[in-house]
Amino acid sequence: MGSFADASKAVRCCDATDGTELSTMAESPMKDSRTLIAEMQDEIEKVIGPHLEGVENFALVDFPNHSNVGDSAIWLGEETYLQKKLGRAPSYVCTYDTWSKEEFERAVPVGPILIHGGGNFGDLWPSHQEFRLRLLSEFPDRQIIQLPQTIHFSSKASLKRAAEIINSHKKFRILVRDVQSLNIATTEFTAPVDLCPDMAFCLGAQSSPAPVTRKLLLLLRTDHERVEQKRFPTLPNFAVVEDWLIEQRGLGKWLFVKALLETALLLLKGMTPSELDVRIRWFHLLASNRVARGMRQVGSSAYVITDRLHTHIFCVLLNVPHSVLDNNYGKISTFVDAWSKPFEKLSLPLSTSVDDALANFLHICQGSSVPTDQG
């Protein structure tokens, strides 16, 4: 079995209840979470910072208005970075289906369009890709920066069409999260391309908002990026299997009302809040709520097995030991290879199946107080 990340320091015990710790010896160079996060943040500033010098007004578009925690973590990280860098919130925000050219031009007469990062550059999530191509077509002379993305095309025709539109734009810059995406972009597109970490790292090191109450969490995809398992293993009776797509019913409406009330306080400062002010605040509240939910989910677990990239990133931010499986087109392994492989609490080599990850977890726990009976 693979060793536990060749970890150089004690990790949280696989038993979440008795406080026992399991230590494994490491071969350097491994990195603790804070060191790795700081390096990621430095790299993000190195890549993005020079392109934002002198910027005042800007748009941040394609807000992820859905329950997937990972996309909200990226958005919140983008907000955090931009606030620190530019000292202000975006002048214009929208989802892909609430875009208004007229509203945008009023809010940002001069300034760049920043497109939300993630894993939707390609033909796997067509609504977001079509929005991206629309912006490039409608604003051929506007600076547009694609924040860090993973690129994946399953159709040559889709790639060719995207290349035609992208290559006709002279002020488009693409940031990618992995070398595979870098190779696609530099081969197919004429736009400048930079390798850059995921913006969720701008959230910084986190403390768990919940006590550790679960010994093993399997946080596995239930959408069309999942890898079908030939055989799902029998799990220990303490294992919990979840995804992170379910949220409180009516959350969006409740947070919209909260955004209305909070924005109304601008009146006390002699300012007149607009519909756009409410939307900016609403998006922030939605993203913050979803990220907090994910932090509780991951932070309450002593060990995590996941095939979600941002669960892996949350484990780094929260300093949680974990094993990683790939998604169905290699998004996670290519990111890990580019950035997070040195994390001392990541089990290496990456697991090829849930069965493999579980076996590795049980191997790690040998000698600890965790019961390994199956059931």
Side-chain angles (χ1 to χ4, degrees):
M1 302 295 176
S3 65
F4 171 57
D6 297 322
S8 59
K9 296 181 180 179
V11 302
R12 294 202 298 188
C13 174
C14 299
D15 186 340
T17 59
D18 69 357
T20 306
E21 286 192 336
L22 169 69
S23 299
T24 54
M25 301 304 294
E27 293 182 2
S28 58
M30 304 305 292
K31 297 175 182 177
D32 62 69
S33 61
R34 291 185 179 274
T35 298
L36 187 60
I37 293 164
E39 290 181 359
M40 298 284 197
Q41 293 178 341
D42 288 346
E43 187 66 18
I44 288 169
E45 168 58 19
K46 176 182 174 183
V47 173
I48 302 178
H51 306 295
L52 297 177
E53 295 299 330
V55 167
E56 295 183 4
N57 294 323
F58 64 95
L60 179 60
V61 301
D62 198 16
F63 174 75
N65 196 16
H66 50 74
S67 61
N68 186 349
V69 170
D71 290 310
S72 283
I74 299 171
W75 182 272
L76 207 58
E78 291 163 348
E79 279 192 337
T80 301
Y81 172 77
L82 293 166
Q83 182 68 45
K84 181 178 180 180
K85 178 68 178 178
L86 301 177
R88 57 169 300 155
S91 303
Y92 179 79
V93 298
C94 68
T95 60
Y96 72 84
D97 56 353
T98 58
W99 162 260
S100 166
K101 183 177 180 181
E102 294 74 18
E103 188 178 42
F104 160 71
E105 290 179 327
R106 285 196 301 270
V108 191
V110 177
I113 301 173
L114 309 181
I115 306 177
H116 173 60
N120 58 36
F121 195 124
D123 51 14
L124 193 60
W125 303 95
S127 296
H128 300 279
Q129 179 69 0
E130 287 303 314
F131 178 52
R132 178 178 297 110
L133 299 180
R134 177 183 175 184
L135 292 174
L136 292 169
S137 299
E138 290 186 355
F139 295 93
D141 300 316
R142 179 82 70 142
Q143 181 188 19
I144 300 179
I145 300 174
Q146 173 59 71
L147 296 174
Q149 275 273 352
T150 298
I151 299 176
H152 175 73
F153 287 90
S154 56
S155 162
K156 290 183 179 179
S158 297
L159 175 57
K160 181 180 179 181
R161 175 172 172 264
E164 289 173 352
I165 296 173
I166 290 169
N167 294 344
S168 66
H169 198 287
K170 304 307 179 185
K171 294 185 179 181
F172 185 40
R173 178 170 291 272
I174 305 171
L175 309 184
V176 295
R177 303 185 296 194
D178 60 88
V179 174
Q180 183 172 292
S181 297
L182 182 69
N183 291 337
I184 294 171
T186 54
T187 300
E188 303 293 340
F189 310 139
T190 57
V193 186
D194 296 305
L195 190 63
C196 185
D198 189 276
M199 297 296 286
F201 282 102
C202 293
L203 297 176
Q206 301 287 308
S207 298
S208 175
V212 179
T213 57
R214 306 191 289 190
K215 300 168 186 173
L216 174 62
L217 169 65
L218 292 88
L219 203 158
L220 303 175
R221 303 192 76 110
T222 54
D223 60 17
H224 62 274
E225 287 191 39
R226 71 184 183 275
V227 175
E228 296 293 343
Q229 300 290 323
K230 293 181 180 179
R231 185 186 74 84
F232 202 87
T234 302
L235 299 176
N237 54 19
F238 53 78
V240 177
V241 182
E242 297 174 342
D243 199 356
W244 61 9
L245 301 178
I246 299 175
E247 66 184 12
Q248 177 186 345
R249 194 170 186 178
L251 176 69
K253 293 180 180 179
W254 177 75
L255 290 179
F256 182 74
V257 172
K258 186 176 181 182
L260 278 172
L261 295 173
E262 292 183 359
T263 309
L265 293 176
L266 293 174
L267 291 169
L268 300 178
K269 299 180 180 180
M271 303 168 63
T272 303
S274 67
E275 180 181 337
L276 187 55
D277 292 323
V278 176
R279 189 191 311 158
I280 291 168
R281 184 59 186 164
W282 183 39
F283 286 180
H284 175 79
L285 291 173
L286 282 168
S288 298
N289 185 280
R290 288 162 180 158
V291 168
R293 171 165 57 84
M295 290 292 179
R296 289 192 299 271
Q297 197 171 4
V298 174
S300 64
S301 308
Y303 194 94
V304 176
I305 295 172
T306 188
D307 59 357
R308 282 196 174 277
L309 173 58
H310 282 88
T311 306
H312 161 60
I313 291 175
F314 275 33
C315 286
V316 177
L317 298 179
L318 287 161
N319 199 31
V320 174
H322 63 292
S323 294
V324 169
L325 313 167
D326 225 338
N327 75 325
N328 65 357
Y329 65 90
K331 177 170 69 177
I332 303 177
S333 61
T334 53
F335 181 87
V336 170
D337 286 342
W339 303 111
S340 52
K341 196 172 184 178
F343 180 49
E344 63 183 7
K345 294 185 180 181
L346 170 64
S347 180
L348 295 174
L350 300 190
S351 301
T352 57
S353 66
V354 173
D355 211 355
D356 181 34
L358 180 62
N360 192 45
F361 165 77
L362 295 173
H363 175 72
I364 292 165
C365 291
Q366 285 179 0
S368 76
S369 60
V370 175
T372 57
D373 56 305
Q374 307 286 302

